[in-house]
Amino acid sequence: MVIKVYVASSTGSVVVKKHQQDVVSFLEANRLSFQEVDITMGEEERLWMCRNIPQDKHPEVGKPLTPQIFNGDRYCGDYQDFFQSKENNGVFAFLGCSSSQAIEKNSNNSLNMNSSLLTF
């Protein structure tokens, strides 16, 4: 499954931008495959995101804020859920993947880098 992070590129909120960047940076640093979906670029993506967020996660007023995180069609959570899972060392379970996926990819890249250093 591919992790999808729903973001809003044209948000005026500095806090929302920072939260979006925190999630994306974590995924990149751990070399996890993910897709960034910009809800400001298409109504269909925004509607899909809103429909697939559990009702208890919708705010009382307004629309759900980005980032919203999914693994395939499975809702993982919002930034607060992501942050809590990081604090509790459970972020890989939260994302629905294992830490070995990240370690494996890091090991493969390290081996490739070391091999190229040896060849030169």
Side-chain angles (χ1 to χ4, degrees), residues 17-35:
K17 285 180 185 178
K18 182 184 179 331
H19 289 174
Q20 292 175 165
Q21 189 56 47
D22 285 349
V23 173
V24 169
S25 294
F26 176 85
L27 296 172
E28 288 174 343
N30 286 281
R31 300 187 193 279
L32 292 169
S33 297
F34 72 97
Q35 177 185 4

Side-chain angles (χ1 to χ4, degrees), residues 30-88:
N30 286 281
R31 300 187 193 279
L32 292 169
S33 297
F34 72 97
Q35 177 185 4
E36 203 170 336
V37 180
D38 187 353
I39 64 169
T40 63
M41 300 305 285
E43 184 70 8
E44 193 172 311
E45 288 85 1
R46 187 187 65 76
L47 289 173
W48 187 93
M49 180 194 80
C50 288
R51 278 194 310 266
N52 288 283
I53 295 173
Q55 197 59 41
D56 64 323
K57 294 298 286 183
H58 281 261
E60 289 181 25
V61 179
K63 300 190 182 341
L65 295 176
T66 57
Q68 296 291 330
I69 307 159
F70 290 82
N71 188 336
D73 291 339
R74 184 183 68 80
Y75 181 69
C76 298
D78 59 10
Y79 179 76
Q80 296 305 323
D81 298 325
F82 171 78
F83 181 80
Q84 283 297 91
S85 70
K86 272 181 49 180
E87 290 294 307
N88 297 328

Side-chain angles (χ1 to χ4, degrees), residues 94-105:
F94 165 78
L95 294 169
C97 62
S98 67
S99 58
S100 64
Q101 288 174 305
I103 293 167
E104 199 174 283
K105 288 183 181 183

